[in-house]
Amino acid sequence: MKLKKAIMIPLSLLIAIQIGCKKQPSEKEEDVLEFLDVPTVMMIDSTNAEISWTTNYPSNSVVYYGLTVAFEDTVFDDEERELHKVTVADLVPDTIYYFQVESTSDYFPGTASSDVDTFTTGMNELSYTMIGWRHFSDGDYANALTAFETAMQGNATYGEAFVGRGWCYIRLENLASALTDFDTGLGFDNTILVGYAGRALTHLAQQSYSEAIADARVVIDADSVYQFSYDTNIDHILVRLVLVQAYYATQDYESAQAQCNKIDPNNGLDPVLPGSWVVNGVTYGSYNEALLGLIQYLVLQQGGG
């Protein structure tokens, strides 16, 4: 049998045939940038969040975020990659944030843009302390104590948490524990005015008058119209009443009168005018008795101190 001669195809023609036989991309398979998964918040703590997503081609990373859908802030990373991880930092604890992610490429057309989504930052010692003060303001001292102690567990040197617990102990009439917490809290942070106010009140109750005067003066000298935002009963009048009583106890009647005049400028009491020794309809036989009567009257007006 006579064999047929093999047909020899030039190599260049063979390569051309193979290329021509390859499947051409459909319109759906064009090189258009798109997400391969939904952007996800992978990690959240009290002040940071990490957002992750994947694109089908290397591209940059953009995260728009803020307290509203206006997105007040942006994080941009121009390095092109397929797996994107962006950390958003310096956030406010216990807060809802809106965000949207976007990727574009220098080499592939289109923009991959996500829907608007939200995440909520976690709690920290500050947010737990704020919750503690809100419970304290409502008179819920049990839950206030829990919140302040949770803040301490997160940060054992967070002064305001100790100060908050100290005020709870005052309201629960545990003055020894209150004083310990005020000393500890102010040792960690000596700028907390409400801590000095609480310690002044505690010293007054324990008849440590010089210490009460020193702490109360810190508050008044720093802010003559001081008022604590989480409990309006803790204010400059309360602190001045501490001064009034401590000055009177140390027989510094002139300073006691001066603080009474700050609280009630129209009290009319004058040490050299016996006719002025009248307080709330009661006439006193001496200036010292009248001054004490005025102090008692002011304390009662304040709610007993």
Side-chain angles (χ1 to χ4, degrees), residues 119-135:
F119 62 83
T120 303
T121 49
M123 306 283 281
N124 68 354
E125 65 272 19
L126 172 60
S127 47
Y128 280 115
T129 299
M130 292 170 63
I131 290 172
W133 283 123
R134 287 198 290 268
H135 285 310

Side-chain angles (χ1 to χ4, degrees), residues 248-271:
Y248 189 90
T250 57
Q251 299 182 0
D252 185 351
Y253 303 128
E254 182 179 356
S255 295
Q257 174 79 60
Q259 292 301 320
C260 287
N261 293 345
K262 294 287 187 180
I263 299 170
D264 179 11
N266 300 316
N267 67 80
L269 202 62
D270 189 320

